[in-house]
Amino acid sequence: MRVFIFLAALLCGLPSLAASRCDVNVATQRVDLDQVSLAYQSIGRASDPALLLVMGLGGQLIHWPDEVVVALCEQGFRVIRYDNRDVGLSAWRQAPGSANLTFEALRYKLGLPVAAPYSLTDMAADGLGLMDALHVQSFHVLGVSMGGMIAQHMAAMAPGRVESLTLIMTTSGAQGLPAPSETLVQLLSRRSAPNREVALEQQADLLAALGSPMVVDDRQVLLHQAAVAYDRAFNPEGVKRQIMAIMAEPSRVTLLNQLQVPTLVVHGTADPLLPVMHGVHLAAHIRGSQLKLIPGLAHRFQEAFKEPLLGAVLPYLQQHREDTSHWAQIEPVQAPNLL
């Protein structure tokens, strides 16, 4: 009788156990590295294969939709999301040097070298340092936008550790690819605000501009999203430094041509910041990669596109979750690629 009661209790408790395993409301923790202090969340069992989420420009870990994180966790992953240096609750401890975004943006437009306080390679080292601190030897990486650029460097810097790459809304950084509109660039660079109200309106404008023309955004929803992010952390100077890190980055084509890691590239056909050819070009330079184009997807997670995004990403990740036979490798550079 006791055995029957125990089994009944166990079976009745399974749904709640599954829910708690993928609880996105776990405490935010902190890891101190040499140059940075990173805020992160770990969702799922420590024994599950790890999936590291790398967010884009100015984004915080909360910008990964909770339902997406839960869906990834329920696939059997330990999902780790974190704030990049200079945003959210993470901090870059080195005293910033003089950094003039307007001046560096002008140099960028003229094709001159850009001086940045740190590089995307430094930001990739942050993510690898986080996984070192968590004693995770091998893991999968999913990066979006700037996070996808950082993820490319992670796979190159840590051969044998990155088991798969999922690159969403990102680019190879090659010259000659379509540029964003000047209006969108101006919205991205508009980072100073005299007060909270103006900051929220500016962020809502940017979110609307990054959205799909197939979706009509509710302005109040955009303002609420902006308010949640602002009230958690607001560091416009840090975002400016991240923009400079992107502008200072050379083309990654040579790196990508040598990378050997299972890779999925997901891009939207309506991306206003990195038009669709960025995704096509990226996939063309990663050996054996898969390319999934989502009609109407722009440069933002929007409710209307969560299902097609998950439909593209989940089967791929599930396929590679237990497969450790194709760890990332990078071959020696033979000659510069002039593309």
Side-chain angles (χ1 to χ4, degrees):
M1 186 65 177
R2 289 181 179 178
V3 173
F4 174 77
I5 294 174
F6 172 77
L7 289 175
L10 180 61
L11 289 172
C12 291
L14 283 177
S16 61
L17 288 172
S20 63
R21 182 176 69 82
C22 295
D23 182 9
V24 294
N25 295 312
V26 295
T28 298
Q29 302 181 71
R30 185 174 297 279
V31 160
D32 290 324
L33 306 178
D34 288 342
Q35 294 186 359
V36 296
S37 176
L38 298 180
Y40 74 94
Q41 287 182 324
S42 177
I43 298 139
R45 290 185 294 255
S47 58
D48 286 337
L51 172 62
L52 181 65
L53 305 183
V54 191
M55 182 41 72
L57 173 68
Q60 304 180 42
L61 66 81
I62 60 172
H63 287 115
W64 293 102
D66 287 345
E67 56 269 39
V68 171
V69 174
V70 169
L72 293 169
C73 176
E74 289 177 344
Q75 289 284 301
F77 286 100
R78 174 192 184 185
V79 181
I80 299 166
R81 56 180 177 176
Y82 69 106
D83 293 331
N84 282 310
R85 65 164 67 187
D86 254 352
V87 297
L89 303 181
S90 291
W92 177 47
R93 287 196 295 268
Q94 183 174 333
S98 58
N100 187 320
L101 177 58
T102 303
F103 176 72
E104 297 301 335
L106 177 60
R107 291 182 60 85
Y108 179 77
K109 289 181 180 179
L110 295 174
L112 299 173
V114 173
Y118 50 78
S119 68
L120 296 185
T121 306
D122 294 326
M123 299 182 76
D126 293 346
L128 294 173
L130 170 61
M131 301 310 273
D132 288 340
L134 297 179
H135 306 290
V136 178
Q137 174 57 33
S138 59
F139 49 93
H140 304 261
V141 182
L142 191 161
V144 60
S145 194
M146 181 189 72
M149 306 174 202
I150 293 169
Q152 294 164 39
H153 281 295
M154 285 185 183
M157 293 166 64
R161 295 187 69 182
V162 177
E163 297 183 20
S164 76
L165 283 175
T166 302
L167 305 174
I168 301 177
M169 308 173 188
T170 190
T171 181
S172 63
Q175 294 183 356
L177 290 169
S181 70
E182 190 62 32
T183 300
L184 189 51
V185 172
Q186 290 175 0
L187 288 173
L188 275 168
S189 60
R190 190 176 61 170
R191 293 291 171 178
S192 299
N195 54 52
R196 181 179 184 273
E197 182 180 1
V198 172
L200 299 191
E201 293 289 346
Q202 290 181 354
Q203 183 64 11
D205 289 343
L206 177 59
L207 291 173
L210 291 172
S212 172
M214 296 173 58
V215 176
V216 178
D217 286 307
D218 184 327
R219 182 72 178 185
Q220 293 306 310
V221 171
L222 297 183
L223 287 170
H224 173 72
Q225 292 173 352
V228 170
Y230 182 98
D231 293 340
R232 183 174 184 265
F234 182 63
N235 184 8
E237 292 303 311
V239 178
K240 290 179 183 178
R241 289 190 286 267
Q242 289 187 355
I243 292 174
M244 285 187 279
I246 294 172
M247 292 192 301
E249 175 87 350
S251 168
R252 290 177 297 280
V253 167
T254 298
L255 180 154
L256 295 171
N257 284 341
Q258 299 165 57
L259 203 62
Q260 298 179 20
V261 55
T263 302
L264 173 67
V265 176
V266 180
H267 216 95
T269 62
D271 194 320
L273 182 64
L274 298 173
V276 66
M277 281 307 299
H278 285 260
V280 173
H281 186 268
L282 176 63
H285 286 277
I286 302 177
R287 189 178 312 175
S289 65
Q290 302 176 35
L291 174 64
K292 298 285 187 180
L293 299 181
I294 298 181
L297 176 67
H299 202 86
R300 212 179 90 221
F301 290 125
Q302 291 176 283
E303 187 67 35
F305 296 100
K306 283 176 185 174
E307 186 174 338
L309 272 169
L310 288 173
V313 169
L314 292 182
Y316 168 79
L317 285 173
Q318 186 60 34
Q319 176 187 352
H320 293 285
R321 188 173 69 88
E322 299 294 349
D323 182 9
T324 59
S325 62
H326 301 289
W327 284 354
Q329 301 175 47
I330 188 164
E331 300 170 348
V333 175
Q334 301 297 326
N337 190 300
L338 301 179
L339 181 61

